[in-house]
Amino acid sequence: MSGIITKVSGPLVVAEGLADANVSDVVRVGSQRLIGEILNMTGDSASIQVYEETSGLGPGAEVVTTGLPLSVELGPGMLENIYDGIQRPLPEIRALTGETISRGVQVAALNREKKWEFDPVAEPGQHVDAGDVLGTVQETSAILHKIMVPPGLSGTVKSIEKGEFTVDHVVAVVEDYKGKVHELTMVQNWPVRIPRPYSQKYTPARPMNSGQRIIDTLFPIAKGGTAAVPGPFGSGKTVVQHQLAKWSDADIIVYLGCGERGNEMTQVLDEFRELKDPRSGRPLMERTILVANTSNMPVAAREASIYTGMTIAEYYRDMGYHVALMADSTSRWAEALREISGRLEEMPAEESFPAYLPSRLAGFYERAGFVDTLSGTEGSVTVIGAVSPQGGDFSEPVTQNTQRFVRCFWALDRSLAYARHFPSINWNNSYTEYFNDLIPWYSENFGEDFTELRVRIMALLNEESSLMEIVKLIGADILPDDQKLIIETAKVIREGFLQQNAFHATDTYMKPADQMSMLRVILRLYDGAKDLVTQNIPLRQLVDTGVFTALERMKFELGGGKPAAEFMELVDNAVASVRRANA
């Protein structure tokens, strides 16, 4: 079915003569067959968002509908790949057209020439349901790709093959209960705006460990959880997401560069090719998929890219993997919604964002979760979305609405960033709602005292924050020793524990067990010093031993393999020497 363009306004095209088309249908626009999607219908007139540059397109050009919604191809070959916002493989397009993407170029998302070794799991005569594994493909050395029965299909396996095949080769034949025969390949197509089905969703109860001390200890996120990383320009949002992508214990990483600057995405691509997976020693790209839709790419594709990344993440979740989706940034996605909404002449809401911004944000974050898959295995999608409020104003609509739908909020602070304190997560403005859900896991793995350690550390930081207001007015010298001790200990916590250098070979990552050891050593020093102060022994004597300074550098030595017991001994000896000197 075809229609005729009557209006072109940036990425928005209006065409008539499409009475039988449906909202969300994919269309081909103009002689170059640009890809677009129908946003709404009025009679036989369709408003279409075009995912490519529309310059040169004018009234009278033809629009042809495919009759299908915007979908992605899911199968072997996605890992190690780089896609644009509508799942076009950028390396293959570059090989085909050069450094710039030609308009209208059509390249299959999955390589149709590469052969994969398919190893059957199901057998002829076996009954299979949606989500059941038919066979496996070793996609990379790190990930075993499971070829599953598509959602909505169940029946009996009539035949299944073993061998090397391309992704579009029929590997199994399934007959459903109506007697209809379905030929199954290694490719599934799925509409990006529809969540993939699962059996049951659970409250997340296991943390996603990242090796970042302030996150793992103070503001943890659970596997299957949601988090927002809001912050002004230059506060380190991208580096936080890079660190989580590099070091989190997720099985699969989907990194979505949504509307960020091209040089930042270039840095990501260059870094990820060089990074080694700490678990396997192999390249990290072997379990990573990159979706790059930078700020100079078409705005409509930016709006679609976030759903493309989510659908890919859900597909690997359905295999039983734990997937982490990094979206950088949802503000740029919301700006794309605003631009398209304006061209559709919809009634604007606060700051000209569309009135449906909250529901779109909710629909995106609610696709995260820890689930039982259709095949009965556990899988999860953890979503971490960066937010870039203009001028660092957290009261703007995107930040405020995001805060409604996430349970973990890592607020980045400009003053911390300017002081070179990274990650610049402000411990007074950040929070997590997952901690109570994770207490049983922490108690089992880190000991019953973990909750107490965290509470005491947070209390010291809060007390220091209150004392610093007094210090600004009258100075620190006038404070009594017990309050000076709080300031000295909080300084060790801030600079020795919370501050972490992403570019330092040792400090970039710390095992959770070592983080617990650090907390115990710091609080051991605080308790010993508090005991001295109670005996009216001047705090300055303990400070002069250098033990506080030594603990500030403990992270480098502890991460390098030095046992925590040596630092415990250092603290005990320093306290004992001061006590003996005053006996």
Side-chain angles (χ1 to χ4, degrees), residues 28 35 85 98 122 180 187 222 250 254 257 298-299 351 357 376 442 468 578:
R28 292 289 179 175
I35 187 171
K180 184 178 179 181
V187 181
V254 179
V299 66
E351 293 191 19
L357 173 64
Y442 281 124
M468 291 308 292
V578 172

Side-chain angles (χ1 to χ4, degrees), residues 532 535 537-538 541-542 545 573-583:
L532 294 178
Q535 299 175 37
I537 297 174
Q541 293 184 19
L542 184 61
T545 65
N573 288 341
V575 173
S577 66
V578 172
R579 184 176 286 114
R580 284 195 302 270
N582 289 271

Side-chain angles (χ1 to χ4, degrees), residues 430-447:
S430 302
Y431 63 84
T432 179
E433 296 176 3
Y434 290 111
F435 190 76
N436 288 337
D437 298 328
L438 300 175
I439 285 177
W441 188 93
Y442 281 124
S443 298
E444 180 181 346
N445 290 272
F446 294 148

